[in-house]
Amino acid sequence: MSAYNCNGIVKTKKEIADLKRQLRAVKACNGECLHCESCQVKTATVGRVTYMAFECLKAPALGAISDRPSTMRAEIIEALEFELS
């Protein structure tokens, strides 16, 4: 059995359950991403320019999604709710 999200992409029941579990885990945290052990920094360097993105290990389905840890929790919640809609 599968379901479609608003983009017409098919998601299985297992994928939907994983996204819901990740959403609950992120909503349960206190939002202090800067001091969280689940926050990781991903970097890429091109020449003299270094790009940084922050990733939450509580929501591995999204990967590195935010450019600031101060807004990461809100962006993850928004993205997960969008994926589940």
Side-chain angles (χ1 to χ4, degrees), residues 1 7-9 14 16 24 28 33-34 44 50 52 59 67 72 75-76 78 81:
M1 187 62 139
N7 293 328
I9 298 172
K14 183 179 183 319
I16 293 170
R24 282 193 307 273
C33 299
L34 186 60
T50 301
M52 296 173 51
D67 58 347
M72 183 167 68
E75 291 174 4
I76 289 172
E78 180 183 352
E81 288 175 344

Side-chain angles (χ1 to χ4, degrees), residues 51-62:
Y51 299 96
M52 296 173 51
F54 294 91
E55 175 182 26
C56 180
L57 298 179
K58 294 178 182 177
L62 299 177

Side-chain angles (χ1 to χ4, degrees), residues 13-31 38 56-62 73 76-81 84:
K13 284 185 178 181
K14 183 179 183 319
E15 290 172 329
I16 293 170
D18 285 343
L19 290 174
K20 287 181 179 178
R21 179 187 50 77
Q22 292 173 23
L23 180 61
R24 282 193 307 273
V26 172
K27 283 185 173 180
C29 75
N30 62 3
S38 297
C56 180
L57 298 179
K58 294 178 182 177
L62 299 177
R73 181 175 182 264
I76 289 172
I77 290 172
E78 180 183 352
L80 287 172
E81 288 175 344
L84 288 168

Side-chain angles (χ1 to χ4, degrees), residues 6 37 58 85:
C6 60
E37 60 201 25
K58 294 178 182 177
S85 63

Side-chain angles (χ1 to χ4, degrees), residues 34 40-46 49-55 64-69:
L34 186 60
Q40 287 191 340
V41 179
K42 303 294 182 179
T43 59
T45 304
V46 179
V49 178
T50 301
Y51 299 96
M52 296 173 51
F54 294 91
E55 175 182 26
I65 189 172
S66 181
D67 58 347
R68 291 181 302 231

